[in-house]
Structure formats: C-alpha cells, structure tokens
Amino acid sequence: MSQNKPPLPLHERMVCNHPLAHHTTIGVGGAARYFLQAQALEDVRYALAWARERELPLFVLGGGSNVVVADSGFPGLVLQLATRGWRVEQRDAETVVMHVASGERWDYVVEHAVAQGWAGIECLSGIPGQVGATPIQNVGAYGQQVSETIVEVKALDLATGQIETFPSDSCEFGYRTSRFKTRDAGRYLIIEVAYRLFRDAVPSVRYAELAAYLDEQKIRVPTLAQVRGAVRAIRARKSMLADPNDPNARSCGSFFVNPVVSREKFEEIVNYCRRKALIGSDEMPPHYAAGDDVKLSAAWLIEHAGLKRGTRLGAAALSQKHALAIVNLGGAKARDIIALAQLVRTQVFERFGVVLQPEPVFVGFESPPLSD
Ligand SMILES: Cc1cc2nc3c(=O)[nH]c(=O)nc-3n(C[C@H](O)[C@H](O)[C@H](O)COP(=O)(O)OP(=O)(O)OC[C@H]3O[C@@H](n4cnc5c(N)ncnc54)[C@H](O)[C@@H]3O)c2cc1C
C-alpha cells in the first residue's frame, strides 16, 4: 500500500538556476537564480524572509502568460503561487461571491461559475493564467473585464508583511490596468480575489464579434455555456487560447494594448488614412468611444503600418492569426521578441504618430527593453 510522503521542507524545495522559459507561454528567457513554488501563505512568508536575508530581489510569477523574461534570467528569487481552491458565500437570492485563492487557474474558475449558472465572467473564458493576476491588468475580453465583478482583493504587502484588503473601488481599475500594475507594481502579492456573480442572469453579449458568432450559429437566446463555448471558439480561431499544440499560441496574447488617443489625434489619423488611401473617403479605422477619447485597434494600426501577419524577424514573428500577438516560432530568444516588438512600435509611430504600449511585464531586464 502506498503512503503519501510528507512534503519536503521548504529549503529543500528551493531550486537554484531554474529555467523560466517553460514557465511562460511565450517560452523565452533565462533562469531564475532561485525558484520556489508556494503551496501556502507560510511558504510565501518563509520565501520573503529568506530573500530579504540575502538581499535578493523577488518576482511573483503566476501562470507566466503575460511575461517576457530576459535572456539573462532573473538574478533573485522567483516565487510562483500554487495555492488552490475557493469558498462560496451566498450573499442573497441573486448573488454569490466566490473567494478564490490566487494560484487557482482562471479558466477553471470561469468553467465552474458557468456550470453553476453564475453570470459575470463568461466572456472571460479561455484567458490563460492564474486568478491572482486577474486584477493586475484588469483582464478583459469580449465586452467584459474583471473589475465589473471583483468585490475585493486580498494582498500581502511585501515590505511590511501585513495583509491588506482592497475593496474594488480602491484598486484604481482602468483599461488593462490597476494600481497593482502602476503605482504599486511589485509591492503586493495577491493572495485571494473575491468575485460577485449573479444567479439566473442572462449572459453578457455586448461585443459585436461575439454576437455575430452566436448569430452565425443560429443561437438567439444563448445560455452561459453557449457564450463560453462561443468565446472559446472565437479565441481558438485567433490562437488566443494557450494551446501547446498551436504554434501561433506560443505568445503572451496581445503584445500591445489598444491605444487611446484624443479626438483631435483621431481626426488627424482619419485624414492621414484617407489621404494615403488606407481607407475609403467615407470609411473610418476601427475605433471605440473611451470617455472623451477614442480607443483604436492596435492590430489594425500594425497591419496598416505595413506589417503583415506572419512577419518574421529571426525566430520571432507576428502570429499568422492575429497581428497583435508576437510568437516564438521555436528557439527564439527574448532579444528576438524584443527586436520585433521594437520594429512594430517604430513602424506604427512613424506612420500614425501613435506610441504602442506593451502589455506584458518584462522580467529581469536592467532597463525597459523597448525605447520610444
Ligand atoms: C494566448 C493568450 C491569450 C490572452 N488573452 C488575454 C485576454 O483576452 N485578455 C487579457 O486581459 N489578457 C490576456 N492574456 C494575457 C494573460 O493571460 C493575462 O494577463 C493573465 O491574467 C496573466 O496571468 P498569469 O497568471 O499568467 O500572470 P503572469 O504572466 O505570471 O504575471 C503577470 C503579472 O502579474 C503579476 N502577478 C501574477 N500573479 C500575481 C500575484 N498573485 N500577486 C501579485 N502579482 C502577481 C506578475 O508579477 C506579473 O507582473 C492572454 C495571454 C495569452 C498567452
């Protein structure tokens, strides 16, 4: 009869010179000087004290789907959360709150919510990565973003060791951003996120592409499961599901966020596009209202700056399916990915005067790898 072995003591689970590429979806980068998977909060506290004693920098890694690690690796401790599970609080007849551990796989949470008939995150199906990263850049897709359902974020202040609870309205959520990505970047380790979900609510179909897909399938009144299925199908067509068998999915997803420009700048771009016959005289580039400003499609700008899908630079390429994703064709180095990102950025700026901001987090680089 086999017996479960007790877990190894923490100092024995700490790994030296641990390659990071296989912990990331884009698969580039060097090794972490030290690496530890934290199964519980005590492991995190131990790791923090251990790194502090040795004056080592710390990086918190989730599922590695939004990071580019430098070829030189990371000179300190990389701590990956492996905490799992959730607790469900019944708020009232219509509402439940799921309190989810950070290391839980995000898409598993969505799958569970949909299976229970809880609405609120169905359009966020298929986004790779862990729960703890969802508030960082306020993940969003197909008309939903997590800030609409997050009630609170529980986080450990890495400087003081105190646990703090951030109600949603203090997280400073914006389009693909939050305080955890801006003024508090690297300060907190998120340990739990609470999402408010709705029983017996209709799924959200706000995004034109999603509505068109459901229409194509002749689904008039979709269930949550049908919306989840539709989102996953659309994502699969664009290689936006983390599928190890799909070469176009060896990426960080979108490499750049959609730029938001003033109305005047937008007019300037429209006039330029018409003058250069990039669009017809009564056409507009794809755009969406963003308060008083205008959000543009970064993918459209890239393709109309003369960079076709599949454009290759060494072993890095723009995805064949989506110009916004930079793909590791196999054997790429971080420097290849950065060189292609730089080319895209320069060409879009030269043509449209728009500076594309990268979406992934750069790890282990001595200075920001993309120059303006
Ligand atoms: C194919 C593909 C499709 C994608 N589609 C989308 C999409 O539709 N919408 C979207 O918004 N994003 C998308 N992404 C990007 C990515 O999946 C999300 O940003 C995701 O939330 C990152 O989660 P992660 O666990 O992999 O984080 P990582 O990549 O490991 O880390 C990202 C950042 O979060 C920090 N972090 C992670 N966990 C914690 C924690 N517990 N505490 C503190 N900091 C933490 C890291 O330090 C790092 O700064 C896509 C990526 C891929 C590869």
Side-chain angles (χ1 to χ4, degrees):
M1 208 168 80
S2 73
Q3 277 189 328
N4 282 343
K5 285 193 190 147
L8 285 172
L10 276 170
H11 65 274
E12 286 183 36
R13 279 169 28 209
M14 185 81 75
V15 191
C16 292
N17 291 324
H18 185 68
L20 288 174
H22 70 273
H23 285 287
T24 71
T25 51
I26 197 162
V28 298
R33 187 159 165 211
Y34 299 99
F35 180 87
L36 179 75
Q37 263 189 350
Q39 315 283 350
L41 191 56
E42 298 81 76
D43 299 2
V44 171
R45 289 197 187 280
Y46 165 87
L48 292 184
W50 189 92
R52 198 172 304 124
E53 244 169 57
R54 290 160 182 78
E55 297 183 357
L56 289 169
L58 178 90
F59 181 75
V60 179
L61 183 68
S65 61
N66 212 20
V67 291
V68 179
V69 177
D71 292 321
S72 53
F74 184 73
L77 171 64
V78 171
L79 183 62
Q80 186 175 47
L81 283 182
T83 52
R84 301 269 191 274
W86 57 73
R87 157 177 78 79
V88 176
E89 183 196 338
Q90 307 284 336
R91 278 272 163 107
D92 52 45
E94 286 97 43
T95 324
V96 296
V97 175
M98 273 183 95
H99 299 258
V100 192
S102 281
E104 194 58 83
R105 192 164 60 82
W106 169 250
D107 198 42
Y108 184 41
V109 175
V110 180
E111 184 185 21
H112 179 79
V114 165
Q116 297 298 312
W118 301 337
I121 49 177
E122 60 282 357
C123 297
L124 304 176
S125 293
I127 298 180
Q130 298 184 346
V131 161
T134 59
I136 306 274
Q137 69 155 6
N138 182 16
V139 297
Y142 301 98
Q144 273 179 345
Q145 44 189 1
V146 278
S147 55
E148 294 163 40
T149 45
I150 287 181
V151 184
E152 62 185 33
V153 173
K154 208 181 270 183
L156 182 76
D157 185 329
L158 296 173
T160 64
Q162 298 294 310
I163 292 179
E164 291 183 37
T165 300
F166 297 91
S168 183
D169 61 4
S170 70
C171 293
E172 298 167 19
F173 287 125
Y175 165 63
R176 284 311 157 275
T177 189
S178 73
R179 66 187 291 169
F180 307 111
K181 191 164 183 176
T182 50
R183 70 181 169 106
D184 283 332
R187 173 167 174 190
Y188 292 101
L189 183 146
I190 293 172
I191 50 183
E192 190 182 283
V193 186
Y195 306 90
R196 182 190 290 115
L197 305 171
F198 303 94
R199 293 171 176 284
D200 304 322
V202 286
S204 165
V205 182
R206 290 179 240 161
Y207 201 77
E209 195 182 0
L210 177 57
Y213 181 90
L214 291 165
D215 212 42
E216 235 172 79
Q217 305 295 312
K218 307 206 180 334
I219 301 172
R220 302 277 173 257
V221 187
T223 60
L224 288 172
Q226 285 169 325
V227 169
R228 173 170 165 78
V231 168
R232 287 187 59 92
I234 298 170
R235 296 185 77 94
R237 289 203 297 218
K238 297 184 195 168
S239 293
M240 280 290 171
L241 287 177
D243 174 357
N245 299 316
D246 177 353
N248 278 296
R250 211 179 294 129
S251 75
C252 310
S254 302
F255 204 93
F256 297 101
V257 293
N258 287 327
V260 175
V261 298
S262 66
R263 294 224 156 251
E264 296 73 51
K265 178 70 196 171
F266 177 60
E267 288 305 320
E268 204 183 283
I269 292 171
V270 172
N271 291 335
Y272 172 83
C273 290
R274 287 183 180 157
R275 248 190 355 264
K276 295 285 177 186
L278 297 176
I279 52 174
S281 58
D282 53 355
E283 285 178 342
M284 295 274 206
H287 65 285
Y288 318 88
D292 290 340
D293 296 325
V294 181
K295 194 199 288 175
L296 299 169
S297 157
W300 190 93
L301 294 175
I302 293 170
E303 289 191 87
H304 288 79
L307 292 160
K308 299 271 164 282
R309 294 177 194 186
T311 298
R312 211 178 148 155
L313 198 62
L318 296 184
S319 161
Q320 300 277 1
K321 309 269 190 71
H322 197 324
L324 203 43
I326 295 184
V327 172
N328 172 1
L329 295 173
K333 299 281 181 202
R335 63 174 172 274
D336 301 325
I337 304 293
I338 298 298
L340 181 55
Q342 187 67 56
L343 174 73
V344 168
R345 223 177 175 215
T346 304
Q347 245 169 269
V348 167
F349 181 73
E350 282 176 5
R351 175 129 330 168
F352 301 107
V354 172
V355 179
L356 292 181
Q357 296 302 335
E359 190 184 294
V361 174
F362 298 110
V363 184
F365 292 84
E366 275 172 23
S367 54
L370 293 179
S371 55
D372 285 340

